[in-house]
Amino acid sequence: MKSTVILGTGSAAPDNILTNFDLEKIMDTSDEWIIQRTGIKERHIAKPGEKFSDFALPASRQALEMAEIDPVDLDMIIAGTLTPDTLMPSGGCTIQALLNADKAAAFDVCAACSGFVYGLAIADRFLKNDPDLNILVIGGELVSHHMDWNDRTTAVLFGDGVGAAVVASRENQGAKILSVEMQSNGKLGELLYFAGLGSEHPVGREDFKPEYNYISMQGREIFKHAIRNMVEISGKAMQKAGVTVDQITKVIPHQANLRIIEMLAKQFKKPLDQVFINIDRYGNTSAGTIPIALDEANRSGFLEKGDLVLLTVFGGGLTWAAAVLEW
Ligand code: COA
């Protein structure tokens, strides 16, 4: 029987690396504090002029190449991002044009860090209805353009990068998506806030303040909600997939804070060598964390045939999601 599968993955990030020591020179922070409190050592930061599509395009091409799918055969492009090149055309449409994926419907999903897994959920539901579709799901950000480099509580945490996956319906091919669950709580939305180009604070109006263009976060509050909700939604996804936590062999968690990852590993009773961690090299790339980690885990051999893999993510909105894959 056919089921939704991932056929290929890809990822890309800016060449420019910003280390904790570089940050020490521009704000009141230290390598020691950042490593101890977050696990981050360095992050990729776009240079002025670099944009979302500069990284979403190579990530997509890699995923398509691995999947052996021609861009002209794509039916849909879903981009989970808060930071497309432009709001209109959407990030999905920009990539559609660059790929010459002429028959695809393309759009963005605005679910902050959860954007990629939300995109997987949408792709899965479409494929259950129409198994002939080929869908490209992208997730990632150029979040550094929206950092207040005077705000040490948030600026040290984030980095830029994009990942992608090609999703289709197949029998005996690719990594099966057994379940994808998602949830939100808009009532707590202000804990992680980015006014951006929203209609509440139109750019250019006399009362527009620079901070509307920056991401801000109440870190301690978010920390608690992140753990609680990722554990809960992971339980739902495992139940839906018909697997127990003991059967899960690999975990790919959102890369927001090493302490959160370690607490999740403890909750799921998994040794850290079964948990994929790259936060030390990327920081939090928002919607990019899961697809970049998935691609690195795939290409490095961390994921082995037969693995039952749990993806779990939490982000602004608030939004959270989890998926179970059979590799
Ligand atoms: N460098 C040095 N000191 C810093 C600092 C920095 N970059 N940022 C904050 N501090 C200071 C604070 O000012 C505070 O000082 P005080 O005690 O004198 O007031 C102290 O460090 C502790 O701050 P606190 O915010 O309590 O730290 P924390 O242990 O909660 O860690 C986060 C902060 C942001 C790393 C952590 O809360 C976190 O990761 N939150 C969740 C992020 C997340 O999950 N995001 C997911 C959605 S994207």
Side-chain angles (χ1 to χ4, degrees), residues 27-30 33-34 37-38 112-113 151-158 192 217-224 226-227 230 254 256-260 284 286 314-316:
M27 63 178 73
D28 181 16
T29 191
S30 66
W33 190 96
I34 301 171
R37 306 310 294 164
T38 74
C113 303
D151 175 7
R152 67 177 184 171
T153 67
T154 304
V156 303
L157 305 174
F158 288 91
L192 193 39
M217 179 168 70
Q218 295 180 39
R220 265 194 202 172
E221 278 301 303
I222 288 287
F223 197 101
K224 288 186 281 184
I227 293 172
M230 279 194 279
H254 183 37
N257 187 315
L258 184 59
R259 288 182 292 141
I260 295 181
N284 181 350
S286 179
F314 181 86

Side-chain angles (χ1 to χ4, degrees), residues 20 32-41 156-157 223 226-227 230 251 253-267 270-273 275-284 289:
N20 293 346
E32 192 191 353
W33 190 96
I34 301 171
I35 289 181
Q36 256 182 23
R37 306 310 294 164
T38 74
I40 301 166
K41 292 181 182 156
V156 303
L157 305 174
F223 197 101
I227 293 172
M230 279 194 279
V251 181
H254 183 37
Q255 311 282 317
N257 187 315
L258 184 59
R259 288 182 292 141
I260 295 181
I261 295 172
E262 287 169 347
M263 285 181 191
L264 288 174
K266 210 168 158 192
Q267 283 278 340
K270 300 295 164 203
L272 281 181
D273 62 5
V275 181
F276 193 83
I277 299 170
N278 64 7
I279 189 171
D280 51 326
R281 293 179 287 117
Y282 285 94
N284 181 350
T289 65

Side-chain angles (χ1 to χ4, degrees), residues 156-179:
V156 303
L157 305 174
F158 288 91
D160 298 327
V162 185
V166 173
V167 184
S169 194
R170 295 282 191 280
E171 200 173 346
N172 302 323
Q173 196 194 345
K176 262 191 214 170
I177 298 181
L178 301 181
S179 66

Side-chain angles (χ1 to χ4, degrees), residues 185-219:
N185 183 355
K187 288 185 181 156
L188 294 176
E190 292 206 348
L191 294 179
L192 193 39
Y193 188 76
F194 173 37
L197 293 176
S199 57
E200 189 176 6
H201 299 293
V203 183
R205 202 167 66 183
E206 66 282 359
D207 58 350
F208 187 83
K209 297 182 187 154
E211 60 258 38
Y212 296 147
N213 191 37
Y214 300 138
I215 291 168
S216 63
M217 179 168 70
Q218 295 180 39

